Amino acid sequence: MDRREIAGLLAYMGRLDPRTMRTDKNELRDQVDQWHELLGDVPLATDYGWDARDAIRAHVVASPYPILPVDVARKWTKHSADRLARHTDPTPAADPDDVLAWRAELLGTRHAVAQGQRPPNEQRAITSGGPDPKVEARLRAIGSVIPPAVRADLSRFRPTRAAREAAAVEGRPDPLAVRCEWCHAPAGEPCHTRRIGLDGGARGNARRATPHPSRLDLAAAALHSQESAA
Ligand SMILES: [Zn+2]
């Protein structure tokens, strides 16, 4: 703030808090001198959220004591530090091999942020959207995150899955695509053996290697109705 801006600020302050008003010419000049000494490098207002008048108003509202220039200076220091804390250095446009130019640009940007001449360069903490488009295209081409060779190797460890995939490739009905009406296994889960004890309660719930025949029929019917609909 230059002396003219300081004088304007003091007039504003005098309106909000008449105790700070100086009517004597010499006193007023001393007051301007004092404020200018402490607030010479604090801007009156920036385009990004700082206004010395806001600081004065906030003080008058919050405190019974007359505001001192150091109160405004402290508020500015905090405002400036907050901005820098949110700032992440953008990559300078200068040639990275030119260390001096690189450093000067980096510091220049930081200085401009601290002085309120430009907004902080903020990084988004959470990125939005799905995976990289390249990854997505590749996944679409392969159809799975597991490469085909590895998938074939794994098939002996997951016979149910392998059988479903084989059925899909060969266009046969996939019994696991539908719910089993016999053992009530939900879609996607293999059939279970239901053993009924003599008392009528269920005994055991072993997984069956093959689906119940009625489930296969249901799957065939579902596939048929799908094909005739298409
Ligand atoms: Zn079943």
Side-chain angles (χ1 to χ4, degrees), residues 1-3 5-6 34-46 50 72-73 76-77 80 111 114-117:
M1 279 180 271
D2 55 27
R3 296 182 61 87
E5 288 171 325
I6 292 280
Q34 186 204 12
W35 279 65
H36 184 247
E37 184 67 31
L38 283 164
L39 299 177
D41 26 318
V42 174
L44 178 62
T46 67
W50 165 259
V72 179
W76 164 252
T77 307
S80 175
H111 185 74
Q115 286 299 309
Q117 289 153 4

Side-chain angles (χ1 to χ4, degrees), residues 151 155 158-166 176:
R151 175 173 284 274
S155 62
R158 31 184 219 170
T160 314
R161 176 90 205 173
R164 291 194 73 183
E165 280 172 3
L176 264 58

Side-chain angles (χ1 to χ4, degrees), residues 47-48 83 86-88 90 109 112-114 116-122:
D47 289 340
Y48 306 103
R83 293 168 60 77
R86 280 187 286 133
H87 177 66
T88 311
T109 317
V113 170
Q117 289 153 4
R118 55 169 286 171
N121 182 47
E122 295 181 52

Side-chain angles (χ1 to χ4, degrees), residues 180-185 190-192 208 211-212 214-215:
C180 179
E181 294 300 330
W182 179 257
C183 67
H184 304 307
C191 279
H192 288 97
R208 280 171 58 102
H212 287 116
S214 64
R215 192 178 193 181

Side-chain angles (χ1 to χ4, degrees), residues 19-201:
R19 290 173 298 173
T20 61
M21 197 133 49
R22 299 284 176 274
T23 41
D24 182 81
K25 242 190 168 139
N26 290 332
E27 276 185 28
L28 181 62
R29 203 182 50 228
D30 286 349
Q31 194 188 24
V32 171
D33 282 346
Q34 186 204 12
W35 279 65
H36 184 247
E37 184 67 31
L38 283 164
L39 299 177
D41 26 318
V42 174
L44 178 62
T46 67
D47 289 340
Y48 306 103
W50 165 259
D51 194 320
R53 286 159 292 197
D54 289 344
I56 286 178
R57 190 167 54 239
H59 182 95
V60 169
V61 168
S63 167
Y65 302 103
I67 187 165
L68 301 170
V70 66
D71 293 323
V72 179
R74 279 188 197 133
K75 279 203 167 91
W76 164 252
T77 307
K78 182 171 185 314
H79 174 83
S80 175
D82 284 351
R83 293 168 60 77
L84 264 190
R86 280 187 286 133
H87 177 66
T88 311
D89 292 318
T91 309
D95 177 4
D97 289 333
D98 187 348
V99 177
L100 285 181
W102 178 276
R103 200 178 130 81
E105 193 178 333
L106 214 58
L107 291 181
T109 317
R110 281 189 203 170
H111 185 74
V113 170
Q115 286 299 309
Q117 289 153 4
R118 55 169 286 171
N121 182 47
E122 295 181 52
Q123 300 284 19
R124 285 175 300 170
I126 300 170
T127 56
S128 57
D132 189 89
K134 270 190 242 160
V135 174
E136 221 164 8
R138 197 171 153 68
L139 260 182
R140 252 203 312 279
I142 302 176
S144 162
V145 283
I146 308 174
V150 178
R151 175 173 284 274
D153 252 8
L154 281 175
S155 62
R156 59 203 163 94
F157 299 110
R158 31 184 219 170
T160 314
R161 176 90 205 173
R164 291 194 73 183
E165 280 172 3
V169 168
E170 290 161 26
R172 285 187 283 112
D174 171 17
L176 264 58
V178 296
R179 179 175 186 270
C180 179
E181 294 300 330
W182 179 257
C183 67
H184 304 307
E189 272 191 28
C191 279
H192 288 97
T193 309
R194 281 197 309 167
R195 285 203 194 88
I196 310 292
L198 291 175
D199 57 351

